[in-house]
């Protein structure tokens, strides 16, 4: 059986993280322009990244009940990562994405997220995809809307992040909405 990952898109390789990514991840996770609207604790330490990469290397597929951090590689260079958490019962998955600042605004996050959402819906049978973010994160909200997602809920001061309460937006879509958004029918699949 051929492993599902690494997975290629037009410009990207979506793959498990590896030890050679540690310095790059450490740099972009501590970049204020990248970390500002993300929820990880700062500063991100080398030890934390090493442990995370060790835990997120060696897999070959998205597995229910096991969160994945998928490396986004462009022309042989790690440019970011995409988070996927497929519920242990399958059917529902949460996604998130992080891109190095110099690669933002070029369609890379959209290309990576589109490929992973397609995989989640078509191969894994997900009926619901969701993402959570701060309302201040307008660029990510725009990307989620481009994917076909919509605001499902807004919860004021409900998300604890770096010592303060932030508002939380939940974007979501069903598999039917994804297929309609992308003009797909069951006969085409």
């Amino acid at each position: 059986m051929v492993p599902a990952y690494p997975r290629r898109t037009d410009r990207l390789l979506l793959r498990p993280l590896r030890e050679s990514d540690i310095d790059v991840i450490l740099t972009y996770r501590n970049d204020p322009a990248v970390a500002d609207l993300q929820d990880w604790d700062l500063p991100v330490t080398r030890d934390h990244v090493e442990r995370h990469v060790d835990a997120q290397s060696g897999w070959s597929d998205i597995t229910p009940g096991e969160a994945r951090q998928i490396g986004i590689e462009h022309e042989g260079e790690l440019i970011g990562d995409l988070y996927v958490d497929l519920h242990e019962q399958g059917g529902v998955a949460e996604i998130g994405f992080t891109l190095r600042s110099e690669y933002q605004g070029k369609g890379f996050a959209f290309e990576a997220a589109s490929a992973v959402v397609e995989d989640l819906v078509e191969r894994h049978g997900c009926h619901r995809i969701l993402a959570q973010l701060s309302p201040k994160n307008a660029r990510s909200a725009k990307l989620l809307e481009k994917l076909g997602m919509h605001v499902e809920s807004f919860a004021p001061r409900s998300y604890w992040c770096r010592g303060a309460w932030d508002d939380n937006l939940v974007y979501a879509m069903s598999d039917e909405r994804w297929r309609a958004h992308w003009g797909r029918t069951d006969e085409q699949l």
Side-chain angles (χ1 to χ4, degrees):
M1 179 179 209
V2 176
Y5 287 84
R7 175 178 294 268
R8 290 209 170 271
T9 68
D10 288 342
R11 302 179 294 168
L12 304 172
L13 179 66
L14 306 176
R15 60 164 176 81
L17 298 175
R18 48 186 169 223
E19 190 175 335
S20 60
D21 297 329
I22 291 171
D23 288 333
V24 174
I25 295 168
L26 186 62
T27 299
Y28 73 74
R29 291 271 169 156
N30 281 305
D31 178 350
V34 173
D36 182 44
L37 297 172
Q38 298 284 3
D39 66 352
W40 54 73
D41 291 330
L42 293 172
V44 176
T45 65
R46 173 171 282 286
D47 180 60
H48 175 80
V49 174
E50 287 173 351
R51 283 184 282 115
H52 185 69
V53 167
D54 185 54
Q56 287 295 319
S57 61
W59 55 267
S60 61
D61 202 355
I62 295 169
T63 303
E66 296 179 20
R68 296 281 189 244
Q69 209 78 35
I70 300 170
I72 303 171
E73 182 179 305
H74 175 64
E75 297 179 350
E77 187 173 355
L78 185 74
I79 65 168
D81 56 78
L82 197 140
Y83 169 81
V84 178
D85 189 5
L86 178 58
H87 189 275
E88 64 187 39
Q89 301 302 320
V92 176
E94 182 174 357
I95 63 167
F97 36 84
T98 304
L99 231 54
R100 291 168 47 186
S101 56
E102 65 267 34
Y103 290 97
Q104 293 177 10
K106 298 177 184 274
F108 293 120
F110 177 75
E111 187 173 328
S114 295
V116 170
V117 168
E118 179 180 23
D119 184 44
L120 288 165
V121 171
E122 299 304 345
R123 194 170 60 85
H124 287 281
C126 283
H127 64 267
R128 176 175 157 70
I129 309 291
L130 67 107
Q132 299 184 64
L133 63 153
S134 169
K136 297 174 222 159
N137 197 341
R139 291 177 73 183
S140 289
K142 185 176 177 182
L143 186 154
L144 295 170
E145 289 165 5
K146 189 175 175 183
L147 278 173
M149 299 175 92
H150 64 280
V151 174
E152 186 173 84
S153 67
F154 170 76
R157 297 179 50 192
S158 63
Y159 191 81
W160 184 255
C161 182
R162 297 188 191 135
W165 289 105
D166 192 8
D167 298 340
N168 192 46
L169 274 178
V170 175
Y171 272 77
M173 73 178 155
S174 66
D175 56 342
E176 290 93 359
R177 183 177 175 103
W178 181 82
R179 287 187 180 97
H181 181 76
W182 293 101
R184 296 187 178 210
T185 64
D186 288 335
E187 295 81 44
Q188 293 174 310
L189 304 175

